[in-house]
């Protein structure tokens, strides 16, 4: 068996753009034959996949899978184009990733990608992704996942826009029935629509509050209407504006979107449901994924592209 050196791995990596461990494996499999190793990587899709890895994958889908009333997982898998996101092959793969996640014990993405692929235990999740990249023909990325297990209650989910947004809500409740699940699904829809950051004001860190106060103080300092106002008035204005902001970012303080009077908060809605069902119901946690959130999306300018090709 050939002695595989770091220099050989480096040479193969530069020639193919494949990952270091993939190159090492290819050289071992081909007894150090460089040309055969390149062919090995091409056949297995790694070279093709890695060359695509620099391209932005900001489209895609979010998918939620429930194992039972107490276990759920939400994943985001990205593609380069919306066209591929609508492809049945890609959608089936995303569902398989969600199934993998709901049965996973991984604590982070690195561990998740190293797991045996449930659909084919002879390969890892990463290798399954690489193979799918080679087959579909554009860069794909399993961006994130989160698994939620309810110890004293249940989980519900909601997917909006055909997979643009995926939400999981974990509730603490001593009663789990259709009425409770319906109420929690309504809350999940609220989360999808209004994108709160916290469950309640009790969850907001002091660092966040201090940062927002600093911003509000700067805003007020630049407000001509507040010029010359006593310090006590300015402080009151800051507190008022901060409380208003917290109502917007905290789920339980938000106005419930289905409220008939437009005034009932989510907390009041849940209290009403608790009374009607005899449940001791509260939201413990929620997870909201939105496809491409925080990613730079490629914007195609067809006119500019034509002009460039025409030398204009």
């Amino acid at each position: 068996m050939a002695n595989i050196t770091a220099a050989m791995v480096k040479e193969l990596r530069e020639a193919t753009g494949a990952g270091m461990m993939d190159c090492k494996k290819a050289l071992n499999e081909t007894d150090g034959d460089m040309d055969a190793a390149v062919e090995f990587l091409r056949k297995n899709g790694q070279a093709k996949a890695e060359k695509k890895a620099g391209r932005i994958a900001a489209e895609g889908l979010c998918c939620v899978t429930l194992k039972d009333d107490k276990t759920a997982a939400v994943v985001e898998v990205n593609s380069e184009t919306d066209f591929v996101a609508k492809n049945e092959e890609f959608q089936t793969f995303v569902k398989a990733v969600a199934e993998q996640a709901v049965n996973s014990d991984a604590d982070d993405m690195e561990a998740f990608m190293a797991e045996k692929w449930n659909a084919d235990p002879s390969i890892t999740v990463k290798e399954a992704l690489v193979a799918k990249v080679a087959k579909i023909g554009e860069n794909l990325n399993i961006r994130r996942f989160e698994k939620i297990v309810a110890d004293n209650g249940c989980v519900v989910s909601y997917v909006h826009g055909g997979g643009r947004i995926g939400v999981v809500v974990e509730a603490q409740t001593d009663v789990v029935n259709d009425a409770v699940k319906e109420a929690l699904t309504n809350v999940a829809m609220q989360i999808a629509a209004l994108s709160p950051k916290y469950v309640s004001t009790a969850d907001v860190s002091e660092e966040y509050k201090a940062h927002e106060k600093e911003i509000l103080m700067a805003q007020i300092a630049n407000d001509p209407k507040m010029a010359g106002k006593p310090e006590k008035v300015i402080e009151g204005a800051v507190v008022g504006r901060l409380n208003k902001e917290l109502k917007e970012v905290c789920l339980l303080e938000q106005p419930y979107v289905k409220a008939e009077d437009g005034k009932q908060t989510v907390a009041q809605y849940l209290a009403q449901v608790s009374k009607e069902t005899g449940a001791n119901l509260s939201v413990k946690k929620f997870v909201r994924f939105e496809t491409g959130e925080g990613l730079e999306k490629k914007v195609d300018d067809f006119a500019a592209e034509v002009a460039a090709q025409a030398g204009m």
Side-chain angles (χ1 to χ4, degrees), residues 1-139:
M1 186 174 181
N3 179 31
I4 308 302
T5 65
M8 292 169 67
V9 174
K10 182 175 182 291
E11 180 182 347
L12 181 60
R13 187 179 186 186
E14 289 175 349
T16 64
M20 183 173 64
M21 295 307 295
D22 292 329
C23 289
K24 185 176 180 181
K25 180 180 178 180
L27 288 165
N28 282 323
E29 290 289 333
T30 58
D31 203 26
D33 186 318
M34 193 63 65
D35 291 337
V38 171
E39 191 66 12
F40 178 91
L41 287 170
R42 290 186 64 195
K43 287 180 178 178
N44 285 279
Q46 281 97 340
K48 184 177 180 182
E50 292 294 339
K51 286 179 181 178
K52 297 177 186 293
R55 307 206 307 236
I56 296 171
E59 298 294 339
L61 292 172
C62 293
C63 183
V64 180
T65 294
L66 272 68
K67 190 173 183 179
D68 48 44
D69 283 344
K70 292 182 176 293
T71 310
V74 55
V75 302
E76 178 187 354
V77 182
N78 300 122
S79 60
E80 289 182 57
T81 64
D82 184 53
F83 177 78
V84 164
K86 295 175 181 177
N87 178 282
E88 186 177 349
E89 174 118 12
F90 176 76
Q91 292 177 354
T92 300
F93 177 68
V94 175
K95 289 178 183 177
V97 173
E99 287 287 343
Q100 181 85 26
V102 82
N103 290 294
S104 175
D105 292 323
D107 293 325
D108 54 39
M109 186 55 71
E110 184 178 357
F112 181 72
M113 296 297 283
E115 283 186 343
K116 295 297 180 185
W117 182 235
N118 288 345
D120 180 1
S122 68
I123 60 175
T124 64
V125 174
K126 180 181 179 181
E127 288 168 339
L129 174 65
V130 167
K132 196 59 64 177
V133 169
K135 186 170 184 179
I136 289 179
E138 70 175 52
N139 191 25

Side-chain angles (χ1 to χ4, degrees), residues 24-297:
K24 185 176 180 181
K25 180 180 178 180
L27 288 165
N28 282 323
E29 290 289 333
T30 58
D31 203 26
D33 186 318
M34 193 63 65
D35 291 337
V38 171
E39 191 66 12
F40 178 91
L41 287 170
R42 290 186 64 195
K43 287 180 178 178
N44 285 279
Q46 281 97 340
K48 184 177 180 182
E50 292 294 339
K51 286 179 181 178
K52 297 177 186 293
R55 307 206 307 236
I56 296 171
E59 298 294 339
L61 292 172
C62 293
C63 183
V64 180
T65 294
L66 272 68
K67 190 173 183 179
D68 48 44
D69 283 344
K70 292 182 176 293
T71 310
V74 55
V75 302
E76 178 187 354
V77 182
N78 300 122
S79 60
E80 289 182 57
T81 64
D82 184 53
F83 177 78
V84 164
K86 295 175 181 177
N87 178 282
E88 186 177 349
E89 174 118 12
F90 176 76
Q91 292 177 354
T92 300
F93 177 68
V94 175
K95 289 178 183 177
V97 173
E99 287 287 343
Q100 181 85 26
V102 82
N103 290 294
S104 175
D105 292 323
D107 293 325
D108 54 39
M109 186 55 71
E110 184 178 357
F112 181 72
M113 296 297 283
E115 283 186 343
K116 295 297 180 185
W117 182 235
N118 288 345
D120 180 1
S122 68
I123 60 175
T124 64
V125 174
K126 180 181 179 181
E127 288 168 339
L129 174 65
V130 167
K132 196 59 64 177
V133 169
K135 186 170 184 179
I136 289 179
E138 70 175 52
N139 191 25
L140 308 177
N141 178 42
I142 302 174
R143 185 187 182 196
R144 51 183 172 167
F145 77 96
E146 188 158 347
K147 180 178 178 179
I148 300 93
V149 179
D151 295 323
N152 299 300
C154 67
V155 291
V156 298
S157 67
Y158 173 70
V159 175
H160 179 75
R164 189 171 65 85
I165 298 172
V167 177
V168 176
V169 176
E170 178 190 352
Q172 191 165 319
T173 176
D174 51 1
V175 175
V176 179
N177 57 26
D178 290 344
V180 167
K181 289 182 180 179
E182 182 183 356
L184 292 172
T185 301
N186 287 337
V187 172
M189 292 171 68
Q190 169 106 13
I191 293 166
L194 297 186
S195 188
K197 292 181 174 63
Y198 305 95
V199 174
S200 70
T201 51
D203 300 318
V204 182
S205 68
E206 291 303 319
E207 289 78 10
Y208 178 89
K209 292 178 183 178
H211 177 68
E212 293 305 304
K213 281 182 179 179
E214 186 178 327
I215 293 173
L216 290 170
M217 285 294 290
Q219 290 175 352
I220 288 175
N222 294 318
D223 185 352
K225 293 180 181 179
M226 298 298 290
K229 296 285 185 180
E231 186 176 339
K232 189 174 181 180
V233 172
I234 291 175
E235 288 179 357
V238 169
V239 171
R241 292 186 190 184
L242 179 61
N243 288 338
K244 183 180 178 182
E245 181 182 325
L246 291 178
K247 286 181 180 180
E248 294 175 357
V249 300
C250 295
L251 172 66
L252 297 182
E253 278 72 36
Q254 288 181 342
Y256 175 49
V257 290
K258 288 188 174 183
E260 293 182 2
D261 62 1
K263 297 179 180 179
Q264 184 185 41
T265 65
V266 173
Q268 290 168 337
Y269 169 64
L270 290 174
Q272 175 189 322
V273 173
S274 294
K275 185 177 180 180
E276 292 171 350
T277 61
N280 186 12
L281 176 64
S282 63
V283 173
K284 187 175 180 182
K285 177 182 179 180
F286 67 83
V287 179
R288 181 188 186 276
F289 283 180
E290 183 168 352
T291 303
E293 190 174 24
L295 294 175
E296 177 186 354
K297 293 195 177 186

